[in-house]
């Protein structure tokens, strides 16, 4: 039940943010500080999600775990192709290769 | 644009097709992850059309599936999706003449990719002939792909052996989005500080470290602007 509540509230909040300035155009301007802060939300929260998952997959910092080199390869694939799919399609086989070699 | 015919939904669908190819593996991974997670399965699947924002859906499943608090999951989803405020502000300049009901439907399917593709085709808010049709071609193409691939991944879910380590695809998705999102030196600092603080606080209960990292990263980005912008 908790999961349903989270999903529905996230849905309502997400739609509200998508609709907010489309609906209010001409009536309300985007506050300048919000506009500046929003630029850093994506890098900050995505790094907060990514870094522990890759550098501490078992809840302890371990820079020699196989996720680290595989993530570097997957990250470079994303960088060059601008595609999420490429990060998966290149990163995952890189991980298999590293696991197989070690 | 003056010599070009008014674009239709078919042009939108054609322009978005390379993006769709890149989106499909992400959809599959979300479905597989949702099916394997220790959460209400139906709610996780339903998030594809209730929330319809992949990174936040994945974050909700991750946080809820690893014992995080509901408030952490919700906060994380809202923070991740707050970037839509920027798209909304920009799209508002193009849609101010349209009926409000149509604008609401356009808002529901507003995504990073729909915004980027449509913005490329319509660089000037004073020239929006054919925009709604074009936009629905782009955005509904993405929406349909997301529903099909997440459902397919969800149905495949349990059939995939754990040795495939598909869970690694989750940080790969976030990493790819991270790479796309960093566009300036303050952006790099926001990421470095956000990641480091999240790592340092990862043992906090309810996955609160995620919120600490996000807040610290945004502050770092804002405060460093005076030196780098």
């Amino acid at each position: 039940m908790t999961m349903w509540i989270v999903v529905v509230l996230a849905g309502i909040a997400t739609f509200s943010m998508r609709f907010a300035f489309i609906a209010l155009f001409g009536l309300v301007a985007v506050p300048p500080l919000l506009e500046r802060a929003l630029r850093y939300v994506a890098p900050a929260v995505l790094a907060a999600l990514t870094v522990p998952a890759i550098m501490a997959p078992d809840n302890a910092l371990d820079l020699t775990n196989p996720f680290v080199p595989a993530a570097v390869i997957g990250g470079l694939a994303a960088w060059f192709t601008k595609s999420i799919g490429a990060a998966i399609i290149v990163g995952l086989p890189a991980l298999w290769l590293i696991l197989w070699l070690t | 644009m003056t010599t070009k015919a008014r674009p239709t939904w078919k042009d939108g669908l054609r322009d978005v097709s390379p993006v769709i190819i890149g989106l499909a593996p992400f959809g599959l991974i979300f479905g597989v992850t949702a099916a394997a997670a220790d959460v209400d399965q139906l709610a996780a699947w339903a998030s594809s059309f209730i929330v319809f924002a992949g990174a936040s859906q994945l974050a909700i499943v991750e946080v809820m599936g690893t014992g995080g608090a509901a408030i952490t999951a919700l906060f994380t989803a809202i923070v991740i999706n707050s970037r839509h405020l920027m798209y909304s502000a920009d799209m508002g300049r193009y849609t101010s003449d349209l009926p409000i009901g149509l604008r609401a439907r356009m808002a529901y399917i507003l995504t990073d990719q729909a915004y980027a593709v449509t913005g490329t085709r319509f660089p000037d808010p004073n020239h929006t002939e054919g925009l709604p049709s074009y936009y629905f071609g782009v955005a509904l193409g993405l929406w349909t792909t997301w529903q099909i691939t997440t459902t397919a991944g969800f149905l495949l879910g349990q059939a995939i052996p754990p040795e495939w380590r598909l869970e690694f695809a989750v940080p790969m998705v976030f990493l790819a989005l991270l790479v796309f999102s960093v566009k300036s030196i303050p952006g790099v600092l926001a990421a470095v500080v956000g990641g480091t603080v999240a790592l340092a606080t990862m043992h906090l209960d309810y996955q609160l470290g995620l919120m600490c990292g996000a807040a610290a990263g945004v502050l770092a980005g804002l405060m460093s602007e005076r030196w780098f912008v």
Side-chain angles (χ1 to χ4, degrees):
Chain A
M1 195 60 208
T2 321
M3 182 67 182
W4 274 109
I5 295 170
V6 170
V7 166
V8 169
L9 289 180
I12 293 169
T14 303
F15 174 74
S16 305
M17 291 188 286
R18 284 171 166 157
F19 195 34
F21 295 110
I22 288 180
L24 298 172
F25 181 81
L27 302 171
V28 180
V30 186
L33 181 65
L34 176 66
E35 194 177 355
R36 281 173 53 208
L38 285 173
R39 276 183 242 151
Y40 305 116
V41 165
V45 75
L46 291 167
L49 281 163
T50 309
V51 171
I54 291 168
M55 295 188 181
D58 297 313
N59 275 319
L61 184 64
D62 176 11
L63 293 179
T64 60
N65 88 78
F67 280 14
V68 175
V72 171
I73 295 167
L76 285 172
W79 174 272
F80 284 114
T81 60
K82 299 277 165 233
S83 153
I84 297 171
I88 299 171
I89 289 165
V90 174
L92 204 52
L95 178 69
W96 296 336
L97 188 66
I98 291 160
L99 287 171
W100 182 71
L101 287 172
T102 51
Chain B
M1 286 302 284
T2 42
T3 53
K4 253 185 183 156
R6 176 192 174 100
T8 68
W9 65 270
K10 286 179 192 164
D11 297 298
L13 196 56
R14 196 189 53 233
D15 289 353
V16 83
S17 50
V19 182
I20 282 178
I21 295 167
L23 180 68
F26 181 15
L28 283 170
I29 290 298
F30 172 72
V32 171
T33 308
D38 184 20
V39 295
D40 187 310
Q41 301 277 290
L42 202 58
W45 170 77
S47 70
S48 278
F49 53 86
I50 297 177
V51 183
F52 183 51
S56 69
Q57 292 175 239
L58 203 51
I60 291 172
V61 167
E62 283 286 289
V63 173
M64 294 295 285
T66 54
I71 191 71
T72 309
L74 184 59
F75 177 85
T76 306
I78 290 173
V79 169
I80 290 176
N81 288 340
S82 64
R83 67 190 188 284
H84 291 96
L85 285 167
M86 284 187 287
Y87 308 150
S88 183
D90 199 23
M91 282 286 290
R93 302 189 299 143
Y94 291 83
T95 56
S96 53
D97 295 335
L98 301 173
I100 194 78
L102 183 64
R103 281 193 260 167
R105 273 173 280 155
M106 291 172 82
Y108 164 62
I109 49 176
L110 178 58
T111 56
D112 308 85
Q113 296 93 336
Y115 169 74
V117 173
T118 307
T120 307
R121 183 70 183 238
F122 293 89
D124 180 2
N126 297 315
H127 291 93
T128 59
E129 298 81 13
L131 184 137
S133 174
Y134 180 87
Y135 175 81
F136 278 108
V138 171
L140 280 179
L142 292 164
W143 187 88
T144 308
T145 304
W146 188 248
Q147 305 309 325
I148 292 172
T149 55
T150 57
T151 304
F154 193 76
L155 297 175
L156 274 172
Q158 276 93 357
I160 292 178
E163 303 88 78
W164 290 14
R165 304 299 297 265
L166 275 193
E167 78 277 8
F168 182 65
V170 175
M172 281 299 92
V173 168
F174 291 132
L175 179 65
L177 294 168
L178 173 63
V179 167
F180 307 155
S181 73
V182 172
K183 296 186 183 103
S184 62
I185 293 173
V188 173
L189 284 170
V192 170
V193 172
T196 309
V197 171
L199 197 58
T201 55
M202 69 183 174
H203 293 295
L204 292 179
D205 285 339
Y206 311 117
Q207 296 241 22
L208 283 171
L210 200 51
M211 292 197 212
C212 296
V218 171
L219 274 176
L222 278 176
M223 287 164 64
S224 64
E225 277 186 343
R226 72 178 73 180
W227 294 300
F228 297 110
V229 176

